[in-house]
Amino acid sequence: MRILVLGGTWFLGRWIAEGAMARGWSVTTFNRGRSGRDVDGVQAVRGDRTEAGDVARLAERGPWDAVIDTSSSELAPRDVLLVASALSKMAARWVHVSTVSVYAGWPHSHLTDRSALLESPADADESFGYTGEDGSPTKYGFQKAGGERAVGEAFGERAVFLRPGVILGPGEYVGRLPWWLERAARGGRILAPAPADRRIQPVDVRDVAAFALDQAAGTGSGSFNVSHPEGMTFRDFIGACLEVTGGAGAPVWVEPEVLAAQGVAQWTELPLWRTHAGVWSVDSGRALAAGLRCRPLAETIRDTWAWLSAGGSLVDHPRRALHGIAVEKEAKILASL
């Protein structure tokens, strides 16, 4: 099996490249070489996927049995279209890592693979789309929907779309789980979003990587929601963080309206917390039927702490600075209760 990974040096892309090498596949990666070292044994090609000359030079390295795209999250649809069009005759399949944000109903409604998508043209530039007053839909969602359309135009039935919600695990660069782990390790009274029994369904990066590789080697097409079928409650999530870190802390469960009155930003200041009804109501049944296997989230939490404790460091990414409530703000809120 000969594959091309767009990205391949950090988090999901790195786990995919390592997993492909472990399967004995021939792996080419394409990236700018700025975000991490290459996986041993891959054939690394340097270039910018927004530059036509770099993309043409990449295409000359083909053919491949499959392309797995892990690096389009910050790209305009037209940039995705550039690469997909250039590689449409150089690859038999394209596995595209997208997001649940492409759905028109996210995060308000329960989602299946048949839910309606946001509308975006395949050649849209980075200005296309908007973010609603309540934070949905998002410009990011419109951009990613356009990226999916670009891949669909170039690859048709040879395209597979993976739509995860939140991906956690060793190597995470956004910093959601690392923040909770570090907060648990610090101990004391921990500001926690009620209700404690609210279920979340993030998925482990290693499970997403394995499923992406399976799809690259398969013959199916279409879209797959990639979410944890069981998930865990917020109570169990924070409890697991306290257990693995040995933190002497205790969560203080605060109702959403109180957190809102105190100006706590959902999704970022208390990572993974969002009150919209559909945010953690994503049906992954089609992916499960196609072979997705999700390890218990307690294992994800344990292994991420082990990675951090062994010197694992977060990539310096702009989104990381958005996550986690300031120590002073948390203390002020807790003191006011």
Side-chain angles (χ1 to χ4, degrees), residues 48-206:
D48 187 332
R49 57 182 294 175
T50 67
E51 295 292 334
D54 290 356
V55 173
R57 181 168 48 83
L58 170 65
E60 293 174 355
R61 298 292 193 101
W64 294 278
D65 297 302
V67 175
I68 304 179
D69 187 1
T70 69
S71 66
S72 66
S73 62
E74 307 298 329
L75 294 180
R78 66 179 181 184
D79 296 323
V80 179
L81 183 62
L82 170 66
V83 183
S85 297
L87 298 181
S88 62
K89 295 181 180 180
M90 290 291 104
R93 292 171 62 72
W94 182 294
V95 178
H96 192 72
V97 180
S98 186
T99 169
V100 293
S101 295
V102 300
Y103 288 113
W106 193 85
H108 299 283
S109 306
H110 174 70
L111 297 176
T112 72
D113 296 282
R114 296 185 180 88
S115 297
L117 303 181
L118 296 171
E119 292 291 334
S120 173
D123 60 352
D125 65 16
E126 61 278 0
S127 68
F128 187 86
Y130 65 92
T131 297
E133 291 185 3
D134 70 341
S136 66
T138 62
K139 184 175 181 179
Y140 171 73
F142 282 104
Q143 293 277 309
K144 292 291 281 184
E148 285 197 15
R149 176 166 288 186
V151 172
E153 287 190 2
F155 276 78
E157 292 300 312
R158 297 179 292 141
V160 175
F161 302 98
L162 308 187
R163 295 172 182 155
V166 172
I167 304 175
L168 304 178
E172 183 198 335
Y173 65 87
V174 175
R176 294 182 175 103
L177 178 52
W179 183 84
W180 277 111
L181 286 164
E182 291 164 358
R183 179 62 192 89
R186 197 165 72 241
R189 300 171 74 216
I190 300 172
L191 188 66
D197 61 357
R198 180 189 298 274
R199 299 195 76 82
I200 59 176
Q201 55 179 164
V203 65
D204 191 290
V205 63
R206 296 163 292 183

Side-chain angles (χ1 to χ4, degrees), residues 240-299:
C241 290
L242 288 166
E243 180 179 356
V244 300
T245 62
V252 178
W253 299 99
V254 181
E255 295 300 321
E257 57 270 20
V258 177
L259 294 174
Q262 294 285 354
V264 178
Q266 295 189 39
W267 208 234
T268 52
E269 286 193 298
L270 291 180
L272 306 179
W273 168 60
R274 197 165 184 176
T275 58
H276 299 78
V279 67
W280 296 118
S281 183
V282 180
D283 181 0
S284 57
R286 186 167 188 263
L288 293 169
L292 173 66
R293 297 293 178 265
C294 295
R295 70 197 68 205
L297 285 169
E299 183 178 331

Side-chain angles (χ1 to χ4, degrees), residues 179-241:
W179 183 84
W180 277 111
L181 286 164
E182 291 164 358
R183 179 62 192 89
R186 197 165 72 241
R189 300 171 74 216
I190 300 172
L191 188 66
D197 61 357
R198 180 189 298 274
R199 299 195 76 82
I200 59 176
Q201 55 179 164
V203 65
D204 191 290
V205 63
R206 296 163 292 183
D207 299 329
V208 181
F211 187 62
L213 292 170
D214 290 344
Q215 291 304 307
T219 59
S221 63
S223 64
F224 297 93
N225 293 333
V226 184
S227 59
H228 202 291
E230 299 172 2
M232 69 192 316
T233 65
F234 235 113
R235 176 187 289 108
D236 290 342
F237 174 78
I238 295 179
C241 290

